[in-house]
Amino acid sequence: MDILKRLSHYREEEEKLYWEGTFADYLELLKERPWIAQSAHSRVYNMINDAGVGEVNGKKKYEFFSRQLFGLEEALEKLVEEYFHPAARRLDVRKRVLLLMGPVSGGKSTLVTMLKRGLEAYSRTDKGAVYAIKGCPMHEDPLHLIPSHLRQDFYEEYGIRVEGNLSPLNLMRLEQEYGGRIEDVMIQRIFFSEDRRVGIGTFSPSDPKSQDIADLTGSIDFSTIAEYGSESDPRAYRFDGELNKANRGLMEFQEMLKCDEKFLWHLLSLTQEGNFKAGRFALISADELIVAHTNETEYRSFIANKKNEALHSRIIVMPVPYNLKVSQEEKIYEKMINESDVADVHIAPHTLKVAAMFTILTRLKEPKRGDIDLLKKMRLYDGENVEGFNSADVEELKKEYPEEGMSGIDPRYVINRISSTIIRKEIQSINALDVLRSLKEGLDQHPSITSELKEKYLNYISLARKEYDELAKKEVQKAFVYSYEESAKTLMDNYLDNVEAYCNKVKLRDPLTGEEINPDEKLMRSIEEQIGISENAKKAFREEILIRISAYARKGKRFDYNSHDRLREAIQKKLFADLKDVVKITTSTKTPDETQLKKINEVVARLIDEHGYNSTSANDLLRYVGSLLNR
Ligand SMILES: Nc1ncnc2c1ncn2[C@@H]1O[C@H](COP(=O)(O)OP(=O)(O)O)[C@@H](O)[C@H]1O
Ligand SMILES: [Mg+2]
């Protein structure tokens, strides 16, 4: 479909969704679809739920957020279950301003933007439909038309509670345009749009010290006062403040804590009561979610200021910490790179992972338990298997520092380093070493890093570098074997046959000659030695493996290459040890002979075809690993 066709298709779709009718018609709608009368908070909550809620390791995973926010499952669960959910059920929290608190570039703005764009789309669906009094600049809730003395009856018939009073403007219109006949008042379906200023708003203070509350609540229209004769005539008022426009939906409040406390006071009292004062009118009811964001320092100083004390209870703070999982951090970088203008540069495998390792290390706090170092903690947090630890240890580690994730390196910094490297060097390919180097150089220019912290971070860079060295070696060694998985499996089967014979004290049969032979002690030991199993410990190790195999068999599971972490490691190391000399010589020779050349080409081809390298990054990798193996 070409773009013009799509535009007209879109317009048609929008027109199809449009509805208008009298209040009487609206009540009919309401009988069939009572949810259309829901509050703004409830709409947000349902929007999140309707997108789907999964579960990963006993934690909720909201599809709504999962396309753009990574690694924040716990913070999001808290936000949804402790704020949106109770707010949707009209509990008191909805009367407080939601304040997202977290470190710079931790995804707060992204989260708010997702809610805004989400609501715009949701208001175009059946479940998220919103209706308003036609012609009202605040898209007032039609049910406000129901006089208060009839609301109990209405509740009994429709099961819907009405909150909020009819605004002075619509009260006047009701009298003048409709002669007081509520049933005739025109209602229309509205569609949220920040651009059109319907249901979604952003307030960004111009000068926080001298901010005028009118920017939020609208102001007198002096050009029409003469016409209407009085300031208190609602027609002489422009309901065009951000709070007016965001009614029924969401208003983002940027830099909220930078505002003067008088201003805040005004704002917060209005959210508290669910209504606000504009001009010389009675209170205007508002139904909207107000979200602000701040960083920890700003929040602490706000809290420390005695003058703000009374405001605390009108704010609900939800932490948005940094992600603490390496694999999720990688996804963040991928996303940010895809959105940037360096998206077409080749990024060698493991590059983002290694950068992410560094970043996560800067965010983690040193474990208090003596048996876990920072690297292990990093792996455990990412859900990796670490020998001797399980998920209970992870929970325990998390409890050591409930505030973890509020400091460290931010993702934008890493992306800036990556893109500046690319741009400066005009290269078409970038690898982990380039990025680590660039991160290191960047530490000197980083504005907020003390020399003590810098030292720590340099240390994390070298930890990440060591991790990369291991990854690089493994990658190359794997690529040297025609089929790595196959070889590993063959070697393991061979080992297991021997172990079985050894433990059962029986002989094996030679597959070629058919003659009986003793278990191959030399082979078994050459594998076991790779993971430091001593002569004395070998029997126990072999028996343990047999037990594991039969436990698997009992459960009907197949014991395979990945079933036993230590055995897998031993097999891998053994394969690599056998290969080491070939790899070493082949990768480091300056003048390869014909067979070596053939092997190199083969390996490069495999790296490209199977492991995601291009020819530059594959050759760089080989050269680097050659130098590592020759140290
Ligand atoms: N946990 C995360 N998941 C996905 N993207 C993230 C995450 N944290 C930060 N980002 C990305 O980092 C950048 C900065 O985030 P932003 O939302 O502007 O942060 P904040 O408003 O907290 O300063 C954005 O491109 C954002 O998408
Ligand atoms: Mg922001």
Side-chain angles (χ1 to χ4, degrees), residues 104-110 252 254 293 412:
V104 59
S105 291
K108 302 182 295 297
S109 299
T110 309
E252 173 184 6
Q254 297 180 336
H293 31 104
R412 198 168 262 152

Side-chain angles (χ1 to χ4, degrees), residues 604-613:
V604 167
R606 210 168 287 141
L607 285 171
I608 295 172
D609 295 343
E610 291 168 25
H611 301 269
Y613 288 80

Side-chain angles (χ1 to χ4, degrees), residues 122-142:
Y122 197 57
S123 71
R124 286 163 171 77
T125 68
D126 186 42
K127 286 278 183 189
V130 195
Y131 295 78
I133 296 176
K134 193 178 175 189
C136 170
M138 285 182 63
H139 352 282
E140 185 162 16
D141 185 346

Side-chain angles (χ1 to χ4, degrees), residues 68-72 102-111 293 321-323 332 335-336 339 411-412:
Q68 286 198 45
L69 285 175
F70 308 118
L72 297 184
V104 59
S105 291
K108 302 182 295 297
S109 299
T110 309
L111 200 167
H293 31 104
Y322 284 139
N323 153 57
I332 298 178
K335 180 190 78 171
M336 292 173 82
E339 288 165 354
R412 198 168 262 152

Side-chain angles (χ1 to χ4, degrees), residues 199-331:
I200 307 286
T202 303
F203 181 74
S204 180
S206 42
D207 173 2
K209 286 289 161 211
S210 62
Q211 192 64 52
D212 186 352
I213 196 78
D215 297 342
L216 276 174
T217 57
S219 57
I220 291 166
D221 185 351
F222 288 101
S223 67
T224 53
I225 286 189
E227 189 184 331
Y228 296 116
S230 152
E231 269 185 41
S232 52
D233 187 315
R235 290 168 302 179
Y237 193 86
R238 276 204 301 253
F239 294 90
D240 63 354
E242 217 55 41
L243 276 169
N244 306 122
K245 292 298 172 187
N247 189 30
R248 313 297 298 285
L250 177 156
M251 189 190 89
E252 173 184 6
F253 197 147
Q254 297 180 336
E255 312 281 0
M256 184 176 89
L257 298 187
K258 291 201 175 76
C259 279
D260 198 64
E261 100 252 7
K262 275 202 233 71
F263 183 79
L264 278 185
W265 186 252
H266 208 118
L267 167 81
L268 294 173
S269 62
L270 69 88
T271 61
Q272 179 75 357
E273 307 309 329
N275 50 34
F276 58 84
K277 185 98 181 113
R280 301 205 165 153
F281 310 121
L283 293 169
I284 297 176
S285 302
D287 169 32
E288 58 199 276
L289 166 66
I290 301 179
V291 196
H293 31 104
T294 180
N295 61 41
E296 199 175 11
T297 325
E298 205 173 69
Y299 178 68
R300 296 261 167 259
S301 73
F302 173 78
I303 287 288
N305 189 343
K306 273 265 177 277
K307 280 195 209 156
N308 294 329
E309 218 162 77
L311 293 173
H312 300 173
S313 62
R314 307 197 164 192
I315 296 176
I316 184 153
V317 183
M318 283 286 157
V320 182
Y322 284 139
N323 153 57
L324 296 175
K325 294 183 176 138
V326 174
S327 58
Q328 301 298 310
E329 190 72 9
E330 246 185 292
K331 282 201 197 164

Side-chain angles (χ1 to χ4, degrees), residues 372-587:
I372 297 184
D373 62 15
L374 211 57
L375 271 176
K376 275 195 190 141
K377 177 167 171 176
M378 175 187 90
R379 295 209 173 88
L380 282 167
Y381 270 25
D382 202 14
E384 274 185 56
N385 279 328
V386 178
E387 179 107 20
F389 300 99
N390 56 33
S391 55
D393 295 295
V394 180
E395 293 310 311
E396 195 179 310
L397 282 172
K398 283 185 181 159
K399 282 204 197 91
E400 285 185 354
Y401 300 98
E403 310 260 288
E404 201 167 31
M406 285 294 171
S407 63
I409 292 283
D410 66 276
R412 198 168 262 152
Y413 171 75
V414 176
I415 294 301
N416 286 343
R417 293 310 302 172
I418 293 178
S419 43
S420 80
T421 315
I422 291 171
I423 289 160
R424 190 159 31 120
K425 296 199 178 142
E426 293 183 9
I427 42 177
Q428 285 311 304
S429 163
I430 181 165
N431 63 31
L433 296 173
D434 296 324
V435 172
L436 287 180
R437 199 176 307 121
S438 174
L439 285 169
K440 193 169 172 174
E441 285 164 12
L443 290 182
D444 291 326
Q445 305 155 20
H446 203 292
S448 62
I449 290 183
T450 63
S451 61
E452 191 188 343
L453 205 53
K454 189 177 151 191
E455 195 146 316
K456 230 173 160 177
Y457 285 5
L458 287 175
N459 182 31
Y460 296 150
I461 288 181
S462 66
L463 280 179
R465 162 83 180 263
K466 282 194 195 116
E467 292 293 304
Y468 174 66
D469 290 353
E470 288 310 309
L471 286 172
K473 275 193 273 185
K474 267 190 200 162
E475 189 102 298
V476 170
Q477 283 165 320
K478 278 191 179 176
F480 259 79
V481 191
Y482 170 64
S483 166
Y484 175 79
E485 295 299 323
E486 197 83 357
S487 314
K489 190 177 167 301
T490 312
L491 184 59
M492 191 182 79
D493 287 346
N494 199 354
Y495 175 76
L496 292 179
D497 287 343
N498 281 288
V499 164
E500 198 174 3
Y502 168 87
C503 292
N504 296 335
K505 300 201 173 58
V506 295
K507 287 191 189 277
L508 288 147
R509 204 170 279 283
D510 186 301
L512 282 181
T513 62
E515 65 185 298
E516 294 212 314
I517 46 172
N518 283 323
D520 186 345
E521 190 60 31
K522 210 170 133 213
L523 175 86
M524 289 186 285
R525 288 305 292 148
S526 73
I527 290 171
E528 289 154 4
E529 277 162 3
Q530 302 293 336
I531 49 170
I533 289 172
S534 70
E535 191 62 32
N536 288 334
K538 73 179 182 192
K539 188 156 178 280
F541 182 72
R542 292 173 190 175
E543 283 168 358
E544 184 217 305
I545 283 178
L546 272 198
I547 292 170
R548 185 79 70 92
I549 293 177
S550 66
Y552 265 69
R554 254 203 322 280
K555 288 184 206 148
K557 286 203 289 179
R558 249 179 64 81
F559 185 91
D560 69 10
Y561 176 61
N562 287 311
S563 306
H564 194 290
D565 289 340
R566 293 190 72 208
L567 182 57
R568 184 183 54 207
E569 190 191 338
I571 299 277
Q572 190 171 58
K573 284 193 167 158
K574 166 70 176 149
L575 274 179
F576 290 170
D578 294 349
L579 273 174
K580 189 168 174 188
D581 288 335
V582 192
V583 178
K584 188 162 148 181
I585 294 166
T586 319
T587 52

